[in-house]
Amino acid sequence: MPRTTPPRPLDVAARFPELAPLARTAVRLHPRPGSPTAADSSIGGPLLWPAGEPWPTCPEHAGPRQWGHPPENVRQERRLLAEAWRRPRAEGADLLSDEERARLDRLGKRVRVPLSGPLPMIPVAQLYAADVPGLPGPPGTDLLQLLWCPFRHRDDHLPRTVLRRRTAAGITDVLPADAVPRPPVVGRAGYLPEPCVLHPEPVTEYPAPHELPGKLAGRVERWARRHGWDYQADLAVAPGCKVGGHAPWSFSDPAPMACPACGAEVRPLLTVVGGEWDAGSRSWRPAEDADHPGPHFLGPARSTHLDISDSSLQLYGCTRSYDHPHVRGLQ
Ligand SMILES: [Zn+2]
Ligand SMILES: [Zn+2]
């Protein structure tokens, strides 16, 4: 089943033609629970990985032990809560039994896990160009992979990320699933994505207010508000996991970011976020998910179960060279 973003409630470019040249395409990924294989685009699914290539590890999280959550505990916790929400209960009745609450407490506790060597990173996203129209990458490549170290790192409070770009047809000797290194511990439960298949959908975005020239921001925002909408939330920048598009308004410094290698402009490459929409961005809820009105943690908007400090992790790429390191932002 595809996912279809409803038309924007107002045609902002018709009213403000100066916005038209600033339009960019973003591809919303619409992750939903599934069983992706290495041949599929996914969030939290297996990667198409060359057998001879070392699996990325994080030298900052190594043995002999680390405090955190065993992935199996995180998954059991999610299953227990999902089952509890699914069963019928009388009005005012408790969601959980005493026994379940005790089990949840146990599962949610951080424990000290023995570790030999540096922690293997976990697959976060795999995107095939055949599924994601306009996937940015050097000529000849058709696959983008993102892995991260599932710990909050001290310097930037983010998981450490690794990007790989590949030519899928060039990988003839694939690392078998049972040979993929898996971390025995994650620093935060919200850094462990549930396996999701994707339903990519291109949409049109416009710059967030702080990136609009001159007094245009004030004019479009006032116009949108007069019609009962919010320019950024409803008309400009799509919420949820996506490729490309425009950067959202940032609570951090809105100064333009630049490539650390050459100083050129960087552009949004990939946005990874736990929620696909919430009360403030409900107009982007796909038509197929209209039965799920809220941002309920079991609903389609939270399919990945990712939680990056209630924010989104944005990866930006240099506009001059794909070889330059990506820039990250938390917004
Ligand atoms: Zn790490
Ligand atoms: Zn650069």
Side-chain angles (χ1 to χ4, degrees):
M1 183 168 64
R3 292 297 185 282
T4 316
T5 299
R8 294 302 79 214
L10 298 171
D11 187 346
V12 70
R15 172 65 184 77
F16 299 93
E18 56 270 57
L19 279 175
L22 305 175
R24 281 187 200 161
T25 298
V27 180
R28 304 186 74 194
L29 297 177
H30 299 309
R32 296 293 182 272
S35 306
T37 71
D40 299 315
S41 293
S42 64
I43 298 245
L47 304 181
L48 186 76
W49 198 267
E53 186 175 310
W55 190 265
T57 56
C58 180
E60 289 162 74
H61 291 96
R65 59 193 72 83
Q66 288 288 339
W67 279 97
H69 306 275
E72 185 46 35
N73 289 10
V74 177
R75 302 213 191 272
Q76 274 188 43
E77 198 178 344
R78 290 172 184 170
R79 272 199 301 274
L80 194 156
L81 279 169
E83 281 160 20
W85 278 100
R86 232 177 273 126
R87 72 189 167 220
R89 65 178 188 280
E91 208 177 319
D94 285 340
L95 175 68
L96 301 170
S97 67
D98 289 347
E99 192 265 328
E100 285 172 326
R101 203 169 296 118
R103 227 181 107 209
L104 264 192
D105 282 348
R106 270 199 312 278
L107 290 171
K109 278 213 170 66
R110 290 167 78 240
V111 293
R112 206 160 68 153
V113 178
L115 197 60
S116 56
L119 192 78
M121 292 193 171
I122 57 175
V124 176
Q126 167 162 283
L127 306 172
Y128 285 93
D131 298 325
V132 180
L135 181 72
T141 65
D142 57 4
L143 178 57
L144 178 71
Q145 297 170 329
L146 169 69
L147 305 92
W148 69 30
C149 167
F151 276 78
R152 193 167 185 248
H153 284 242
R154 276 207 195 95
D155 51 353
D156 58 2
H157 309 295
L158 288 172
R160 191 71 77 237
T161 48
V162 165
L163 275 183
R164 290 288 154 86
R165 287 187 165 96
R166 306 184 185 282
T167 306
I171 305 172
T172 46
D173 195 5
V174 178
L175 185 69
D178 58 5
V180 173
R182 291 168 214 278
V185 58
V186 299
R188 296 189 154 219
Y191 289 173
L192 183 69
E194 286 295 309
C196 284
V197 293
L198 306 181
H199 306 86
E201 177 203 22
V203 296
T204 301
E205 292 191 339
Y206 298 98
H210 69 293
E211 291 190 304
L212 290 177
K215 298 207 164 98
L216 185 55
R219 288 167 54 220
V220 287
E221 287 189 298
R222 278 193 299 279
W223 173 78
R225 214 172 300 131
R226 257 202 318 277
H227 290 84
W229 299 98
D230 180 82
Y231 168 68
Q232 176 172 314
D234 296 305
L235 310 179
V237 183
C241 296
K242 63 184 178 181
V243 169
H246 279 283
W249 170 264
S250 166
F251 59 70
S252 56
D253 188 355
M257 279 183 284
C259 169
C262 74
E265 185 199 348
V266 293
R267 284 204 173 186
L269 170 62
L270 177 59
T271 301
V272 180
V273 57
E276 188 169 308
W277 68 85
D278 60 16
S281 55
R282 196 170 292 162
S283 70
W284 295 90
R285 184 182 65 204
E288 293 80 1
D289 297 315
D291 292 346
H292 299 268
H296 191 284
F297 76 97
L298 285 179
R302 316 277 324 178
S303 297
T304 64
H305 282 258
L306 286 170
D307 180 2
I308 311 159
S309 310
D310 277 331
S311 301
S312 64
L313 172 66
Q314 269 129 18
L315 303 180
Y316 296 81
C318 176
T319 48
R320 202 175 286 162
S321 170
Y322 288 111
D323 294 332
H324 294 172
H326 61 276
V327 181
R328 290 139 25 107
L330 185 68
Q331 282 167 336

